[in-house]
Amino acid sequence: MGWREYPQNIKVRLITSFFNRAVSSAVMPFMALFFATEKGKVWAGTFLILTVIIGFIVNLIGGYISDRFPRKKVLMTTSFLNAVMFLLMTVSLLPEQNWILLFAIAYIGFIITSSLGRPAMHAIIMDSTTPENRKEVYTLDYWMINLSMAIGAALGGLLYVSHQIELFVLLTVTSISIPIAYGIWLRDEFTGFLKKTHENVFLDLFQNYKVALKDSAFVKVVIGGTFIFSAEFTLNSYIGIRLAETFESFHIGNFEITGVRMLSMLNIQNMLMVVCFTFFINRVMDRFSKKNALLIGLLLYGIGYVTVTSANAWYVLLLFNVIATMGELIYSPIKEAEKANMIPSDKRGSYSAFANVSFSGADMLARSTIILGAFLVPVMMSVYMGVVIMIGAFFMYSGLFLREKVTEKAVKKEVVAQYVK
């Protein structure tokens, strides 16, 4: 399927997300630095942990809302409020002395509005695709996410320090154009909205997620994702700190490659590989069954991150980072497409919101490696990482593919029982 054959909603979703992510990626990675500079490290750390908790809770509410109300209205409202929050952030930077309190309030507002809208964004892809073309669309989405983040990182690196206000103005203008684009081009085609079953809205919300929690196969995929993503997130936590402390720097001409710069090189290498090789690797892996391709991807991913966790030689780090990224390129689109196929059509927002537990949990697991790394030597941390990835692979594979065998056995038992009668 070519770009022209994609449903209109998919095109709108991919293009608007691309521009939104490209500009926000130029700013969001610097928020910790911004608040630490303005208010101190302890204040910044506490504030940012609070925003993660708020985002997680609001995301669950957003999933419920996107299943109860028209997704176009949800997206237009939340994206308009996003633009208002970015405008307030921009205004707070204009005075000589930044209005930090206004900036912090607007930042929390942005976390709330974006978390409310995110499940509806995910649900639209599922609404507008079929099981046959879903893997292809998720592969393109995965590629565009990484390309937009690479552009955003480059924009931020060039403009954040010397042209901060201009960067926020660009972010505000982009954000204002997105609800306009939704209003013109997005089609509200979905009609199978979730019916309210309880008068008490909190009971109704809980009942909605109770269904997802009872779906044991989906819960396994979410648990598996938590363990597997934590390896990738560890790159910017434990691995980054270890490289800063123990990596022996070297020179290329007059340019010194320190541990911190080595970490940047690994991140850039990851993004460039995704941008350059996603479609090639996807075509190669189409020759394999989905089950085998997922296992190959997870194996490469595991070998890569287990080695990067403790390696200190630059060439070993670069080589095994390539192997880890190749594994990610193989398993990620398959996992996303198969996970989407598991979700009931009237609960896509809620299931998508529940699936985001993977990222919150992985972030917490990755942060815990900083504490664990204070007691374990790097080789033991590699062993720990290997165990974590193996547990994740077991849960993900069994959740995605072993459920089919269980269902087949149940059907066969029913047939046998009928003949016995």
Side-chain angles (χ1 to χ4, degrees), residues 112-128:
I112 290 169
T113 54
S114 60
S115 298
L116 276 175
R118 196 174 296 118
M121 294 278 286
H122 290 303
I124 275 179
I125 279 197
M126 288 179 248
D127 293 341
S128 307

Side-chain angles (χ1 to χ4, degrees), residues 61-247:
I61 297 166
Y64 172 75
I65 288 170
S66 71
D67 284 338
R68 286 285 323 280
F69 304 102
R71 283 163 191 164
K72 182 174 179 175
K73 284 184 182 175
V74 172
L75 281 174
M76 284 184 69
T77 307
T78 54
S79 56
F80 171 74
L81 291 171
N82 266 357
V84 172
M85 296 307 155
F86 284 131
L87 181 62
L88 288 173
M89 284 189 220
T90 308
V91 169
S92 73
L93 295 174
L94 292 174
E96 191 101 350
Q97 291 293 313
N98 295 343
W99 295 339
I100 298 305
L101 186 61
L102 175 62
F103 189 96
I105 291 167
Y107 181 72
I108 289 175
F110 160 73
I111 295 293
I112 290 169
T113 54
S114 60
S115 298
L116 276 175
R118 196 174 296 118
M121 294 278 286
H122 290 303
I124 275 179
I125 279 197
M126 288 179 248
D127 293 341
S128 307
T129 54
T130 61
E132 290 73 36
N133 65 16
R134 208 162 267 156
K135 180 174 175 281
E136 189 182 327
V137 173
Y138 275 111
T139 303
L140 179 60
D141 186 40
Y142 174 71
W143 179 79
M144 288 180 78
I145 286 169
N146 281 275
L147 179 61
S148 62
M149 286 173 72
I151 292 167
L155 265 176
L158 290 169
L159 302 176
Y160 181 80
V161 176
S162 52
H163 298 90
Q164 197 179 64
I165 291 169
E166 289 89 336
L167 196 56
F168 273 90
V169 168
L170 179 64
L171 188 54
T172 306
V173 171
T174 308
S175 301
I176 289 167
S177 65
I178 286 169
I180 296 168
Y182 287 149
I184 298 169
W185 290 295
L186 198 67
R187 293 173 183 163
D188 216 345
E189 296 165 339
F190 185 72
T191 52
F193 296 111
L194 199 66
K195 298 287 185 288
K196 192 176 180 183
T197 53
H198 292 276
E199 280 304 309
N200 186 320
V201 73
F202 294 105
L203 264 177
D204 205 41
L205 189 144
F206 175 74
Q207 187 65 35
N208 201 32
Y209 284 103
K210 200 172 158 187
V211 177
L213 284 165
K214 280 184 175 176
D215 188 338
S216 60
F218 194 79
V219 170
K220 282 179 186 176
V221 176
V222 172
I223 293 169
T226 302
F227 282 96
I228 287 163
F229 297 148
S230 70
E232 192 179 335
F233 290 4
T234 303
L235 189 63
N236 288 319
S237 52
Y238 167 75
I239 296 169
I241 292 166
R242 183 184 65 75
L243 288 174
E245 290 173 353
T246 65
F247 184 76

